[in-house]
Amino acid sequence: MASNSEVGHAKNASNFFDLITVATGYGPLYNPTKTIIKLPNLIAIHAAAETDLATVITDNTAFNNRTNENAAEFSDVRPLSTRLINALEATDATPAKVKDAKAFNRKLQGKKAAKPIEPVDPNTPAPTTISASQLSYDQQIQHLTGLNSVLLSEPTYVPNETPLKTVTVTTKIATLTTKNKAVATAFTKISNSRIKRDKTLYLEENGLVDVAYEVKKYTKSVFGTSSPEYKLISGIKFKRPKKKN
C-alpha cells in the first residue's frame, strides 16, 4: 500500500486537472494576463506532473525488484561460508591458515542477517536512505572476498564439489557485487525521480500547488468571493507534504 504522502502527490495532480476543467468551463471569462496561469500552461504543468508521478512509480518498482533480487542472491552467503571452512579443514592447510579463514567466517556469521528491505510490493515507496541492511551487504562481500583469498592461497584446496571451488566463489562474489551495485543505482534513480516530481508539484511560484493557488486568486478577482463561479474552484484542495525534521 502506498504511503499517505505518495497518495497526496497523486491527489494534487488529480485536483489540478479538476481545476483546469473548471477554468476551461469559464470560457472566455477566464482570461488572465499572467502567463503561468493561462490554460495552455496549466495543461502543460499537469502533463509534467503526471509524467513525473508515473516515472516515480516505475523507478520505485525497479528499486524494489533490485532489492529483492539482491536479498535472494545474498541468502546463501553465510551457509556457503561455513561449507568453505569445513572444506578447508579437510585439506592440508596449516592451523594458522585455517584460523585466518575462520576469522573472515566469524565476521560473516557474527552480524545479523541482512533482511530484504520490506515489503516486496512494488507499489510500496522505496526508502529515502540506504538501509543498514544494505550497507551490511557491502561488508559481506568484503568478508567473503577475504575468505576466498585464503582459499586461493592454499595449494591443497582443490574440492571436487562445484559450489566450493574458488572459481565458483569468485563468480559468486562478482554476482553479489553486480547486484549490490544495481540496488545503489536504482536507489539513486528513484531519489532523483522524487526530486524532479517534488519540484514539479511544490517548487515555489512555479510548482503545481502554488500555480493552483494563483488560479484561485485570479478567479476570485474576476467573479468575487461569494460568486458561484468561484465556489466551483475554491473547494478544490491542494496540500503540501509535511516537512521532515
Side-chain angles (χ1 to χ4, degrees), residues 21 38 76 87 95 130 139 168 181 200 225 242:
T21 301
K38 291 179 181 292
D76 65 345
I130 287 290
Q139 295 171 342
T168 305
K181 287 181 177 179
T200 298
T225 304
K242 294 181 179 179

Side-chain angles (χ1 to χ4, degrees), residues 155-168:
T156 66
Y157 185 83
V158 285
N160 294 316
E161 296 76 19
T162 300
L164 304 180
K165 293 178 181 293
T166 54
V167 65
T168 305

Side-chain angles (χ1 to χ4, degrees), residues 144-203:
L144 185 60
T145 300
L147 173 55
N148 196 42
S149 69
V150 175
L151 302 180
L152 285 166
S153 72
E154 175 50 53
T156 66
Y157 185 83
V158 285
N160 294 316
E161 296 76 19
T162 300
L164 304 180
K165 293 178 181 293
T166 54
V167 65
T168 305
V169 179
T170 299
T171 300
K172 175 71 172 179
I173 292 169
T175 302
L176 292 171
T177 301
T178 297
K179 289 190 178 295
N180 209 40
K181 287 181 177 179
V183 173
T185 299
F187 176 78
T188 299
K189 192 171 184 181
I190 181 59
S191 298
N192 286 330
S193 295
R194 283 170 169 160
I195 291 170
K196 187 173 185 299
R197 175 204 61 196
D198 290 350
K199 286 182 177 179
T200 298
L201 293 175
Y202 307 113
L203 189 69

Side-chain angles (χ1 to χ4, degrees), residues 205-228:
E205 297 185 10
N206 297 327
L208 179 148
V209 170
D210 275 14
V211 171
Y213 290 142
E214 288 299 313
V215 172
K216 288 187 175 186
K217 289 178 184 177
Y218 169 73
T219 304
K220 186 191 295 185
S221 72
V222 173
F223 299 107
T225 304
S226 61
S227 66

Side-chain angles (χ1 to χ4, degrees), residues 42-101:
L42 298 182
I43 293 170
I45 290 170
H46 179 259
E50 289 293 324
T51 297
D52 291 347
L53 286 166
T55 300
V56 167
I57 291 172
T58 298
D59 291 346
N60 183 80
T61 300
F63 173 81
N64 283 333
N65 287 342
R66 299 296 84 75
T67 297
N68 295 326
E69 291 168 4
N70 199 40
E73 190 65 41
F74 273 87
S75 64
D76 65 345
V77 168
R78 286 180 171 81
L80 172 62
S81 177
T82 299
R83 292 180 65 192
L84 294 173
I85 294 298
N86 291 335
L88 180 62
E89 289 185 312
T91 70
D92 294 328
T94 64
K97 187 165 291 188
V98 173
K99 182 180 179 181
D100 290 343

